[in-house]
């Protein structure tokens, strides 16, 4: 077995659920999942039950995250009424952007009204990007507002061909837009596989068609999509087995293995993996260098997802039973070994 060394991977989109939903995940278990998955830097979303929309709430989160094994950054949230808080937080080193929910998903932060969106985009007067969950025509609106107010925009978890085309078009015109795609949108398409997953295959945005999936891989290759972000969104098995399952799937422990499977399948190169999971997110979110931090794995070595269980508190994966490649074997974080032989040793 020959181990290759990579810098710690970065996941710019996770929901570690603390405070308020620690039956699903918390900063400790979520960061264990991150380390087991080869991620040493993650950025947490603000859609907690009591959302991260005041400086006070943000400080509480920063404090709670001290128990994490890896570095955790944060996005500030907005309910459309907290614009006076923006300037109190945008210069904090722990804040990496503003998250705006333009389409319906987990949590209460949905902004439906265009006028309010306008005020939000106008008020976030920072070099740090605005991130949007914006599907279809909502994405078009976000792109226009970002252009109007000259804001950097990051399009989260892009999932449809039509969205890829919108982003490609504005990028070609020189607009400062970046986009991310999740491993599940890359791997699944609407069909028997995803239906078998039942509630475990329900997430926002929903899985697209084969055509959408093809467009996502193409966009990743041609640079329309800049990063792979897991959107690690743990919910309990009970919550996923309800008649109306909660939206979201965990992803921290499987993203790297899926990317090396894509290498094995000849879709992308090892250099691409580094770009999508380290250099590009580092550039987009201006993430500081992590000294003495690296991951080792054998990108040729196959493994069965779920065989040794999971670190995430939710304890399942939509990829369970699949064969991926390059499971992280070693993680050294700021000079300290946290993963050895694929197991956390903290
Ligand atoms: C996320 C969650 O559960 O917090 N759910 C999801 O389906 N992706 C929220 C989100 O990213 O939209
Ligand atoms: Zn979302
Ligand atoms: Zn998310």
């Amino acid at each position: 077995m020959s181990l290759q060394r990579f810098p710690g991977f970065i996941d710019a989109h996770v929901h570690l659920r603390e405070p308020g939903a620690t039956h699903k995940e918390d900063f400790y278990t979520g960061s264990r999942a991150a380390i087991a998955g080869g991620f040493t830097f993650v950025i947490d979303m603000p859609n907690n039950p009591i959302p991260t929309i005041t400086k006070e709430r943000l400080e509480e989160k920063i404090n709670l995250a001290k128990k994490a094994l890896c570095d955790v950054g944060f996005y500030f949230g907005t309910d459309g009424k907290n614009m006076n808080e923006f300037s109190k937080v945008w210069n904090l080193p722990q804040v990496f952007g503003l998250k705006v929910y333009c389409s319906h998903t987990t949590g209460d932060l949905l902004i439906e009204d265009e006028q309010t969106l306008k005020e939000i985009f106008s008020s976030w007067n920072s070099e740090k990007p605005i991130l949007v969950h914006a599907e279809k025509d909502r994405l078009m609106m976000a792109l226009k507002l970002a252009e109007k107010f000259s804001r950097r925009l990051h399009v989260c978890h892009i999932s449809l061909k039509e969205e890829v085309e919108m982003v490609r078009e504005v990028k070609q015109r020189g607009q400062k837009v970046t986009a991310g795609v999740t491993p599940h949108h890359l791997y699944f398409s609407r069909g028997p596989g995803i239906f078998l997953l039942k509630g475990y295959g329900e997430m926002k945005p929903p899985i697209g068609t084969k055509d959408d999936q093809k467009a996502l891989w193409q966009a990743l290759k041609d640079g329309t999509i800049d990063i792979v972000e897991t959107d690690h969104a743990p919910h309990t098995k009970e919550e996923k087995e309800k008649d109306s399952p909660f939206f979201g799937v965990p992803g921290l422990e499987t993203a790297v293995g899926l990317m090396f499977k894509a290498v094995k399948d000849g879709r992308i190169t090892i250099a691409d993996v580094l770009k999508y999971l380290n250099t590009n997110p580092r550039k987009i979110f201006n993430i500081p260098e992590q000294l003495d931090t690296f991951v080792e794995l054998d990108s040729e070595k196959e493994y069965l997802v779920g065989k040794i269980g999971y670190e995430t508190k939710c304890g399942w994966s939509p990829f369970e039973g699949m064969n991926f490649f390059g499971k992280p074997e070693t993680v050294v974080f700021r000079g300290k070994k946290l993963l050895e032989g694929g197991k956390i040793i903290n």
Side-chain angles (χ1 to χ4, degrees), residues 11 13-17 24-25 29-31 33-34 44-45 182-184 229-235 248-254 311-314 316:
D11 188 354
H13 187 154
V14 301
H15 302 264
L16 298 190
R17 306 299 193 202
K24 304 175 200 265
E25 194 80 285
T29 57
S31 68
D44 185 58
M45 287 289 171
T182 72
H184 45 275
E229 54 190 44
T230 70
D231 191 9
H232 180 80
H235 296 287
V249 296
L252 276 168
E253 288 167 87
T254 44
E311 291 293 342
T312 172
K313 201 182 273 187
C314 73
W316 60 274

Side-chain angles (χ1 to χ4, degrees), residues 289-302:
E289 202 67 45
Q290 295 179 293
L291 294 176
D292 292 324
T293 299
F294 61 86
V295 178
E296 287 175 335
L297 54 85
D298 177 354
S299 65
E300 298 280 321
K301 195 176 163 191
E302 200 167 4

Side-chain angles (χ1 to χ4, degrees), residues 266-282:
R267 288 177 178 277
I268 56 172
T269 64
I270 290 187
D272 288 333
V273 178
L274 192 63
K275 197 163 71 179
Y276 307 143
L277 291 179
N278 180 279
T279 44
N280 281 354
R282 184 178 302 291

Side-chain angles (χ1 to χ4, degrees), residues 13-15 45 47 99 101 105 133 156-157 204 231-233:
H13 187 154
V14 301
H15 302 264
M45 287 289 171
N47 63 331
K99 177 66 181 282
Y101 291 90
T105 187
H133 177 141
C156 294
H157 48 40
K204 295 287 188 183
D231 191 9
H232 180 80

Side-chain angles (χ1 to χ4, degrees), residues 3-16:
L3 291 178
Q4 299 130 286
R5 187 175 281 198
F6 297 90
F9 294 115
I10 297 169
D11 188 354
H13 187 154
V14 301
H15 302 264
L16 298 190

Side-chain angles (χ1 to χ4, degrees), residues 93-293:
Q94 295 94 340
V95 170
F96 290 86
L98 176 76
K99 177 66 181 282
V100 186
Y101 291 90
C102 305
S103 304
H104 169 66
T105 187
T106 309
D108 303 321
L109 290 179
L110 176 63
I111 309 286
E112 282 186 293
D113 165 59
E114 183 171 357
Q115 185 52 36
T116 312
L117 268 184
K118 230 184 222 168
E119 284 162 31
I120 292 168
F121 274 70
S122 141
S123 306
W124 185 258
N125 190 5
S126 165
E127 266 305 300
K128 294 181 184 174
I130 294 176
L131 296 91
V132 284
H133 177 141
E135 301 177 31
K136 299 180 187 171
D137 49 320
R138 304 295 285 168
L139 175 58
M140 187 61 90
M141 186 183 291
L143 289 167
K144 289 204 173 118
L145 288 175
E147 184 178 30
K148 180 174 163 75
F149 294 103
S150 304
R151 301 293 181 234
R152 289 180 56 208
L153 189 77
H154 178 75
V155 181
C156 294
H157 48 40
I158 193 166
S159 68
L160 301 176
K161 185 176 175 188
E162 60 179 283
E163 295 165 353
V164 164
E165 281 162 4
M166 285 181 217
V167 171
R168 187 176 286 129
E169 217 251 338
V170 299
K171 272 191 162 188
Q172 274 164 0
R173 291 206 321 255
Q175 202 180 321
K176 282 195 219 158
V177 174
T178 56
V181 66
T182 72
H184 45 275
H185 289 106
L186 286 172
Y187 192 86
F188 295 118
S189 62
R190 233 172 280 160
I194 194 75
F195 294 135
L196 277 176
L197 285 174
K198 297 187 186 144
Y200 292 97
E202 296 275 344
M203 78 288 288
K204 295 287 188 183
I207 295 297
T209 63
K210 266 257 169 283
D211 235 31
D212 293 316
Q213 189 188 18
K214 210 170 129 210
L216 295 175
W217 281 107
Q218 178 56 39
L220 198 55
K221 275 310 279 182
D222 73 18
T224 303
I225 295 176
D226 303 86
I227 69 168
V228 172
E229 54 190 44
T230 70
D231 191 9
H232 180 80
H235 296 287
T236 65
K237 291 180 183 174
E238 199 190 350
E239 290 163 342
K240 296 301 274 182
E241 284 170 16
K242 282 183 197 291
D243 286 341
S244 323
F246 289 31
F247 301 119
V249 296
L252 276 168
E253 288 167 87
T254 44
V256 166
L258 179 84
M259 292 322 282
F260 283 107
K261 176 180 159 48
V263 171
K264 195 79 189 162
D265 294 343
R267 288 177 178 277
I268 56 172
T269 64
I270 290 187
D272 288 333
V273 178
L274 192 63
K275 197 163 71 179
Y276 307 143
L277 291 179
N278 180 279
T279 44
N280 281 354
R282 184 178 302 291
K283 255 185 261 163
I284 295 166
F285 299 103
N286 196 20
I287 292 169
E289 202 67 45
Q290 295 179 293
L291 294 176
D292 292 324
T293 299

